Amino acid sequence: MSRLHLHLLSDSTGETLEMIAKAALAQFDAAEVTRHFWPMVRSLQHLERILSDIAANPGLVLFTLVNEEIRGRLEEQCKGLGLPAVSALDAVLDALEQSLGQEAKARPGRQHAMDAAYFARVEAIQFTIAHDDGVAWENWEEADIVLAGVSRTSKTPTSIYLANRGYKTANIPIVIESPPPPALFGLRHPLVVGLTTAPERLIQVRRNRLLSLNQAPDTAYVDQERVAREVQFARRMFADNGWPVIDVTRRSIEETAAAVINLLNERRGGDGVGAI
């Protein structure tokens, strides 16, 4: 069986690149492909982080990048690593330029202009998935919303719901033994919202989670004193930083998300800017 690491880099949502890769891979049987998907690559700093993964997992690199500097850096590094780097649209663009007698506009994501709302949601979803559970905190300033809370306070499902509404949402677990990165406390653009819940309810949710994983239901994770201390620690952090807090004890995901959106709209002056 053939094995391949396939790196897909796009300066937009990456939908076009994913469809091209999927259509091409369908022509090959018995191929084990590990896909590494990198959307919204619009800076050299972002590219440098990706190049480290490419070096650690060498394979085929497909890209749709219109910025010449970013593209040149990618091609240079791939050449140094002895890896093929293929621009998925070059041949088509060249043929169109010759046929139409004009140069293509080098604008990332230009094909989405006619349905901006839909693709804004796609972008928000991709951002949110890539920034779940404290991952990629370096990019939090790009978020609209950052949710913070102890484990099992519905951070991830609420984030996904908000992303479907068009809001780029990151989330971070609050753990006593592992403080969040300092960047969390200096964010300026995103609205940071603390999610909290009653310790008794949290213990119940965590027990059900352990049972669903066939794990022992009696651990420190569900110890009453420890859980109460976790919740108190998180609430103190929220208060010290002046972050708004939502108690999710009796709220559905939809209700929690609606409360977050209301807070964001109030912060923006009540005009609902950014809502999709």
Side-chain angles (χ1 to χ4, degrees):
M1 177 180 291
S2 302
R3 298 175 183 271
L4 172 70
H5 283 281
L6 178 62
H7 296 269
L8 306 175
L9 287 77
S10 171
D11 50 22
S12 188
T13 63
E15 276 197 316
T16 301
L17 191 56
E18 279 201 303
M19 288 189 291
I20 292 173
K22 183 177 180 180
L25 287 171
Q27 303 300 316
F28 298 89
D29 296 324
E32 184 178 321
V33 179
T34 301
R35 291 196 294 176
H36 304 255
F37 182 49
W38 310 100
M40 306 305 295
V41 183
R42 296 186 177 179
S43 70
L44 287 173
Q45 292 83 357
H46 189 180
L47 177 63
E48 291 301 326
R49 294 195 295 270
I50 296 169
L51 289 173
S52 298
D53 186 81
I54 293 175
N57 301 284
L60 173 62
V61 178
L62 299 182
F63 64 89
T64 51
L65 301 170
V66 298
N67 182 282
E68 291 295 334
E69 186 179 14
I70 296 174
R71 172 179 172 148
R73 175 64 174 164
L74 174 64
E75 292 176 325
E76 176 188 359
Q77 289 300 301
C78 287
K79 183 178 181 180
L81 293 168
L83 302 177
V86 180
S87 176
L89 295 178
D90 270 10
V92 177
L93 289 173
D94 289 344
L96 285 171
E97 284 182 338
Q98 293 181 20
S99 299
L100 296 172
Q102 58 177 287
E103 291 186 2
K105 303 292 185 181
R107 299 179 191 172
R110 197 166 189 262
Q111 72 271 28
H112 305 316
M114 293 187 68
D115 192 5
Y118 170 77
F119 287 104
R121 286 196 294 271
V122 173
E123 181 180 337
I125 292 169
Q126 291 180 333
F127 178 93
T128 300
I129 292 173
H131 296 81
D132 183 42
D133 205 32
V135 174
W137 55 266
E138 302 93 339
N139 303 322
W140 281 352
E141 195 62 47
E142 301 172 21
D144 298 307
I145 300 162
V146 176
L147 301 180
V150 300
S151 175
R152 313 316 296 178
T153 49
S154 302
K155 297 183 298 300
T156 294
T158 303
S159 295
I160 296 298
Y161 185 92
L162 288 166
N164 276 282
R165 294 290 302 274
Y167 299 96
K168 293 181 179 179
T169 309
N171 71 77
I172 174 71
I174 302 302
V175 181
I176 296 177
E177 297 81 5
S178 179
L184 176 65
F185 307 105
L187 295 175
R188 300 179 63 85
H189 174 258
L191 171 69
V192 182
V193 178
L195 302 184
T196 189
T197 188
E200 298 78 13
R201 174 59 177 164
L202 188 56
I203 291 172
Q204 180 184 359
V205 171
R206 289 184 175 183
R207 284 189 186 279
N208 291 338
R209 175 62 173 169
L210 292 174
L211 290 171
S212 70
L213 298 174
N214 294 319
Q215 296 182 8
D218 296 313
T219 68
Y221 187 58
V222 293
D223 178 77
Q224 185 171 359
E225 182 177 343
R226 178 185 172 84
V227 171
R229 190 164 61 250
E230 279 186 68
V231 173
Q232 183 180 20
F233 175 80
R235 286 176 172 167
R236 186 182 305 116
M237 181 184 295
F238 302 156
D240 289 346
N241 289 277
W243 298 331
V245 179
I246 297 175
D247 190 329
V248 303
T249 305
R250 299 185 182 277
R251 293 179 188 263
S252 65
I253 300 301
E254 295 83 357
E255 289 171 334
T256 300
V260 172
I261 293 171
N262 283 338
L263 288 170
L264 184 62
N265 287 342
E266 289 175 5
R267 186 191 195 208
R268 290 174 170 177
D271 56 6
V273 173
I276 303 297

